[in-house]
Each structure stands twice: as C-alpha cells, then as structure tokens.
Amino acid sequence: MDNDANGVTPVVMLDIASWRPRVDAAEVERHAHALEAGSVLVLPRLAFELAPDETRFLDVRWSDGKAKNISLEGDAIKGARGTPDELAALARMVTRFAADATALVSALFPRYSPHLTRARTSYRPHGAAGRAVSWRKDDTRLHVDAFPSRPNRGERILRVFCNLNPDGEDRVWRVGEPFEPMARALLPRVRPMLPGEATLLAALRVTKAPRSEYDHLMLGLHDAAKSDVGYQRECAQREIRFAPGTTWICYSDQVMHAAASGQFMLEQTTHLPLSALYEPARSPLAVLERITGRKLVV
Ligand code: SIN
Ligand code: FE
C-alpha cells in the first residue's frame, strides 16, 4: 500500500504462519521500524486454531451480557457465563492465545522480549458495531487508546488481534492519520490539567495511580477525536479488512483506529517501557513532548 503524506505505510504485510517464527535480523529491523512508525503489521496466514470442543465458544451466549468483552487478567476470566467446567475450558482457550500472542511479539521483536508486561487478554464475542453506550466508549470512532483509570506514564500499548469469525466475516477497521498530525490538530482543544487534579483523582480512586500530564493529554486526544463528528468524517483515513484467520499487531496508543464491523476476535494487550523501543523518538510521549516543548512525565 502507498505511503501517505507523512511517510507512514498504514499496512505492512508479513508472510508469517507461525506463532513462534524465526526471523532474521534484517527483517526484525524492518518490522520494528514499521511498527514503531505507526504501521499495522498484518499476518494474513497466522490463524489461531481452535480445538474441536472450543468452536462452541464462537457464540455470544458465553457473554454475561453486562461486560463488553470477556477478559482474562491473571488467571481470572471475567464477563463470561457458563458452568465452572465450561468457564475453565474458555479460560484455557484465551490463555493459549495469550501465550501465543506474547511468544509472537518476542519472536518478532527480540529487543522487546525481556521488557514485555502481559496485560489483559480479551475475547470479543459481540459484534464490533452497535454496542456503544456513549460516544466515549464508541470504538467505531477513530481514536488512540488511553485508559482512564490506569495511567501509564508513557509506557507503550502494543496489541495483537486475531479474527476468529467462523462465517467468513472480516473484521473491518478504519485507520486514520499518523499520530503527529492528529496530535497537532487536536491538542489545542485539550484543556490543561488542573493543579492538584492528578492527586485528587488518585485519592478518589478514579485512577489507580496519579495521572501524568502525558496521560491527561492522551485521554484528551482520545476524547477530542471521538467527540468530533466532523473530524471523524473528514480526517484522512482508510479502511482495512482483516479476513478470518488473520492476525494483526499495532501500537494502539499511536495508530488512530476504529472498529467498523466484525464479530469474534481475540486481543492481547502488552505494555513495554520506552527504553525497550528501537526508536523511542517516534513514541507518542516523545512526539507530545516535542509539540508542547516540555516534560510530560516527571
Ligand atoms: C479497539 O481497540 O478500539 C477496537 C478494536 C476492535 O474491536 O476491533
Ligand atoms: Fe481502541
């Protein structure tokens, strides 16, 4: 696919069909450069195989109907309903994906490997569209990921996704403009963090730790993009279709993304510190510090 105006290739295809591939050093450099520049790495031949008794989980009835996703944090499966045996089998499937996705990231990017923190794994049995209760939670609108209750102080959010759809349905994303022009366009609308705000939110347990100014600005960008219908319609964007059996990887704190449609997907979130990156100067923290001219994490 063509470069866009800012020199970021939105999609880079990887001809890899193993969760534990051997990758030579030149390929590692090429993939890392693309990923950290804000490309989505797409592996159309890397499916997550379900065991015969796991195909039953491709059904919304396993959702508890309250949570948006079924998720695994540590050993606990949340947002699902079923008998203890069924929930244990579902947890085994999601755990296997967590191990595969983490192994894939380590194999593709050996420099990351010792620094990776595995966070939540989610299984998304609901359709991507039509569940949003508010514009802020509406992931069919373009956004960068930022977590309101979990400040990350510039740590990266790297996500691995896999489309499991059994009926041939693609997961369809829209991907927006690169991080820097998005931030330059939307930052003027983000209100400054108030003195004492971070301490107060942490004391009230709205956040699990005090927000840095970086976290405040990232949430502000998330909200500014999602709340602006004109921006959603008019900003530079393109559609990407992920067929069933496709895995894809991106920095979701950097890539403007929106899930337009699709059903049945697994997703693994990992965090890594800036010091693990091949090119830290391309991170959202470095870009925002360049734009604002000040340190955003102290
Ligand atoms: C998101 O991470 O914003 C949604 C991704 C998806 O559900 O495909
Ligand atoms: Fe997102």
Side-chain angles (χ1 to χ4, degrees), residues 48-59 62 89-94 96 123:
F48 180 71
E49 301 294 346
L50 300 187
D53 72 334
E54 289 173 339
T55 54
R56 64 189 153 143
F57 295 126
L58 298 175
D59 193 309
W62 301 99
L90 179 57
R92 278 197 297 279
M93 177 184 95
V94 180
R96 199 170 73 250
Y123 168 48

Side-chain angles (χ1 to χ4, degrees), residues 124 128 139 143 145 159 161 171 173 248 252 257-259 265:
R124 307 185 181 196
D139 288 340
H143 64 283
D145 287 344
R159 288 186 149 169
F161 304 86
R171 194 146 197 114
W173 275 22
W248 64 104
S252 63
H257 61 283
M265 182 183 77

Side-chain angles (χ1 to χ4, degrees), residues 25 41 55 82 100 102 128 144 174-175 179 181 197 220 253 263 272-273 281 292:
L41 306 186
T55 54
D100 281 353
T102 312
V144 284
R174 290 185 297 133
V175 171
F179 186 84
E197 182 177 344
D253 55 357
Q263 189 175 10
L272 68 162
T292 59

